[in-house]
Amino acid sequence: MTNEEQHNDFEALCAGYVLDALTDKENRQFEEMLRDATPEQIQLFEDMMEIRDELALASEPTSPSLKVEENIMAAITGEKKKPQSDELEVKAGSANIIPIWAYQAVAAILLIASLTFVYITFDLSETVDTQDSQITDLSETVDSQQSQISELQSQLNRQEQLLTVLSGREITLVNMNGLDPSPEGYGKILWDPDQGEAVLQLANLPAPPQDKDYQLWLIKAGQNPISAGVFNFERPSTDLFFRVEQLNEEPSEESNTFAVTLEPKGGVPQPTGDMFLLGEQQ
Amino acid sequence: MQRIQNGDTTAMKLLYNKYKNLLFGLIVSILKNREEAEDCLQEVFIQSWEKADQFDASRGKVYTFLVTMARNKAIDRTRSRAFKDSEKEDHIINDFTLTLEGEFNNPHEDMEFAERAKMVRNALNQLSEKERKVLYVSYFNGMSQSEISDKLEIPLGTVKYRMRQGMIKLRDMLLPDN
C-alpha cells in the first residue's frame, strides 16, 4: 500500500470512527493506526471530532416547554417545599368594643383584659416557639428523607439494570481477584453476550484519584484488550454495581478474560496503568 | 462549569438557558417526538448536574460535553425496543433541517451559536446531497456504515467514500487554517 493509499485509508476510517459508524474490528484497526499516527494525522483526527460536534448546530434550535426547566431545577434542588406559613398564623382576636358610656366599667375591664392579654401572649409565644422548633425538626426530617429517597432511587436503578442483565437467556459469570495494588479487592462480571449487556461489581477497591478512572477490559484469546468502559466512585464499598454498556462483543470460544486497570480520566484505547483486578471465564 | 461542580444551582440555571434550545433542537432532530425529547433533555441536564465532577476542562469544552451526552442519550432511546415499536420505518430517514433563520435570536443566549450554526449550515449546503444524507443518517440516526448501506440501498464502499468526502470537505470549509 502506498503512503497516499494509507493516508486515504486513515481518513476514511477516521471519518467513520468519529461518527461511531465503524464495526468493532474497524474501530480497533483505527485505534492501532492512531497509535502510530503522524502529527498531521492526529490533527486530522482532532479536526474531525470537532466537525462532528459542530454538526449539532445544523439542527433547528427549538424551545422546550417551561416545565422542563422547572423539573430540572426541582430535581437538583431536592424539591423542598416551604412550610405552610398559614398554619402558624395567629388569628387576630376579636377587637374589644368598649362602649363610650361605660368609662367606669372600662377601667376594671381593661385591667382584667390586660392581665388576660399578658397571659395569652405569653402562652402564644410559647406555642409559636414550640411550633418553630417542630418545623425545624420536620424540615430536617424532610431533608433526610429526600436524601434517602434519592439513594433508594439510585439503588433501584442499579437493581433494575442488574435484573435486565439477569433476565438474559444465557448469563456468564466471571469472578475477578485483586492483584498487587489492592489484593483485598475483588469483582464480578455478569455478562449477557446475546444482549451485549453486563453488570460489573467492584468491591474493596480504593476510590480512584480525581484525575483517574477505573477501566474494564475484555481480553479475548489472542487479541488486544477491548475497552468495556470507565468507572468511577467516591467511596470504597462492597456493593458498587455498574452497568457495562460497551460489551457488544462475541465471546471467544477459547478464553475470555476480564481485567480492571487504573487509567487517565476518560479511559485510554489500550491499557497503560496498574492492573487491579483480573479474572478468566471458567 | 466549575460553579456547577461546587453545587451552584444558579449556575445550572444559566447553563440550561444557554444550551436548552441548541440541545433540544438536536434531540428533537434525533427522536422526532417533542414529548420524548423533553424527557431526554431533562435527563441530560440532571445527569450533567450529577456528573459535573467528571467534566474535565482540560479534556474538552462544555459544548462538547453536553452535545455528546445529548446525542448519545437520544440515540440510545431510538435503539430501545419501546421506541422502535412506536417508530415507522421510513420516518427516520430525513435530511438536515437547514434553516438559516432559526430561533437563534436571543442576544444573550445564542449569539455565539448563531454565527457558528450559520457557517455549519452553509458548509453543509456546499456538499452534494448524497454526501449530506450519509452524514445526516450517521449523526442523527446513529447508524453504522453497514446499516446506512442497507437503509439507503447503496454499496458499503460508497457509504465509506461519501462519509470521508463529506467530513474532509467540511473540515476544509470550517477549519481552513488546519
Side-chain angles (χ1 to χ4, degrees):
Chain A
M1 194 184 279
T2 66
N3 283 345
E4 189 182 344
E5 283 170 339
Q6 279 178 347
H7 186 68
N8 287 345
D9 204 22
F10 182 90
E11 285 182 349
L13 282 172
C14 188
Y17 186 83
V18 299
L19 287 164
D20 198 18
L22 301 182
T23 62
D24 292 338
K25 187 179 170 190
E26 288 170 326
N27 276 331
R28 285 196 292 276
Q29 186 187 346
F30 179 72
E31 282 162 3
E32 279 172 20
M33 290 171 99
L34 200 55
R35 275 200 294 277
D36 303 324
T38 63
E40 184 194 10
Q41 287 173 324
I42 290 170
Q43 182 66 53
L44 173 75
F45 173 59
E46 288 173 356
D47 287 351
M48 280 204 182
M49 287 204 294
E50 190 173 340
I51 295 294
R52 174 203 60 198
D53 294 333
E54 295 288 278
L55 288 178
L57 292 163
S59 56
E60 186 177 1
T62 311
S63 296
S65 66
L66 288 175
K67 74 172 185 199
V68 178
E69 182 176 4
E70 288 169 8
N71 290 346
I72 291 167
M73 296 313 292
I76 68 172
T77 56
E79 207 168 13
K80 287 176 186 165
K81 285 186 180 172
K82 290 180 183 172
Q84 297 293 310
S85 56
D86 53 347
E87 288 171 11
L88 304 178
E89 282 177 3
V90 180
K91 287 181 183 171
S94 303
N96 292 323
I97 301 168
I98 304 169
I100 297 171
W101 50 266
Y103 285 113
Q104 288 178 337
V106 163
I109 292 169
L110 273 180
L111 182 62
I112 295 167
S114 299
L115 289 172
T116 308
F117 180 75
V118 167
Y119 173 77
I120 290 172
T121 304
F122 180 73
D123 191 42
L124 278 176
S125 173
E126 274 196 338
T127 307
V128 168
D129 284 350
T130 307
Q131 287 184 340
D132 271 347
S133 167
Q134 285 175 347
I135 287 165
T136 306
D137 289 348
L138 281 173
S139 178
E140 284 172 2
T141 307
V142 168
D143 284 349
S144 160
Q145 285 177 343
Q146 275 168 346
S147 167
Q148 285 174 5
I149 289 168
S150 299
E151 178 58 28
L152 286 171
Q153 186 67 48
S154 167
Q155 281 180 16
L156 184 64
N157 289 342
R158 285 203 301 270
Q159 284 171 358
E160 279 177 357
Q161 289 165 4
L162 187 61
L163 286 172
T164 305
V165 174
L166 285 174
S167 65
R169 186 180 291 270
E170 290 198 19
I171 304 296
T172 300
L173 170 65
V174 180
N175 285 307
M176 294 185 288
N177 294 317
L179 300 179
D180 263 351
S182 183
E184 69 281 11
Y186 63 91
K188 292 188 190 75
I189 292 277
L190 285 164
W191 182 19
D192 178 3
D194 285 347
Q195 298 296 323
E197 290 183 315
V199 169
L200 165 68
Q201 181 202 12
L202 296 179
N204 295 341
L205 288 185
Q210 205 164 11
D211 58 340
K212 305 267 188 185
D213 281 327
Y214 285 113
Q215 190 162 6
L216 177 68
W217 304 94
L218 165 61
I219 307 158
K220 296 200 275 192
Q223 293 188 18
N224 285 334
I226 299 160
S227 174
V230 293
F231 306 92
N232 202 309
F233 52 87
E234 290 177 357
R235 287 192 302 274
S237 171
T238 55
D239 64 348
L240 291 166
F241 290 95
F242 301 92
R243 184 177 185 183
V244 181
E245 295 168 335
Q246 301 175 28
L247 209 49
N248 206 3
E249 285 283 330
E250 281 290 318
S252 162
E253 290 181 0
E254 294 171 44
S255 79
N256 297 288
T257 302
F258 284 93
V260 172
T261 60
L262 188 65
E263 302 293 353
K265 196 102 189 147
V268 289
Q270 285 295 303
T272 58
D274 288 340
M275 189 178 288
F276 279 66
L277 299 177
L278 183 68
E280 186 177 354
Q281 182 187 351
Q282 298 300 313
Chain B
M1 204 65 190
Q2 196 176 354
R3 286 171 57 195
I4 292 172
Q5 287 170 337
N6 293 332
D8 183 342
T9 53
T10 308
M12 187 65 192
K13 207 164 189 147
L14 291 172
L15 184 79
Y16 175 78
N17 281 301
K18 181 175 169 67
Y19 285 97
K20 64 178 180 182
N21 289 356
L22 165 68
L23 297 184
F24 190 57
L26 168 63
I27 295 170
V28 168
S29 296
I30 295 170
L31 295 174
K32 312 282 191 305
N33 177 320
R34 224 187 129 84
E35 194 181 345
E36 177 97 13
E38 287 194 342
D39 193 49
C40 184
L41 181 70
Q42 206 168 298
E43 193 184 342
V44 168
F45 276 98
I46 291 173
Q47 189 163 333
S48 67
W49 169 263
E50 290 170 348
K51 300 201 169 177
D53 58 333
Q54 292 181 11
F55 173 73
D56 181 355
S58 66
R59 292 176 66 89
K61 297 179 287 188
V62 176
Y63 169 88
T64 305
F65 178 70
L66 290 174
V67 161
T68 304
M69 195 193 295
R71 177 175 176 254
N72 289 346
K73 286 203 172 295
I75 287 173
D76 282 350
R77 283 179 182 238
T78 64
R79 289 175 180 157
S80 75
R81 196 167 298 158
F83 189 90
K84 277 181 181 164
D85 289 347
S86 69
E87 275 288 295
K88 290 179 182 171
E89 269 297 295
D90 297 333
H91 188 54
I92 52 174
I93 300 298
N94 213 325
D95 204 344
F96 281 105
T97 309
L98 300 176
T99 53
L100 297 178
E101 303 294 335
E103 290 183 27
F104 284 124
N105 52 11
N106 180 336
H108 301 296
E109 181 190 354
D110 290 315
M111 275 303 285
E112 178 195 344
F113 298 144
E115 279 302 308
R116 283 162 58 196
K118 194 171 177 180
M119 287 166 61
V120 170
R121 290 172 186 152
N122 283 341
L124 282 164
N125 273 330
Q126 307 296 313
L127 303 184
S128 73
E129 191 186 339
K130 290 173 178 173
E131 289 163 347
R132 203 162 55 230
K133 178 153 265 178
V134 166
L135 291 185
Y136 176 87
V137 177
S138 174
Y139 186 76
F140 285 95
N141 295 135
M143 285 189 178
S144 68
Q145 291 175 331
S146 57
E147 286 171 326
I148 297 170
S149 166
D150 290 343
K151 186 59 77 177
L152 300 183
E153 296 178 339
I154 50 177
L156 180 58
T158 307
V159 173
K160 291 180 178 187
Y161 178 75
R162 288 179 189 168
M163 191 174 276
R164 168 179 172 268
Q165 288 297 97
M167 290 296 280
I168 292 289
K169 284 180 186 174
L170 288 179
R171 182 205 190 207
D172 292 343
M173 285 186 274
L174 294 172
L175 303 169
D177 296 339
N178 295 345

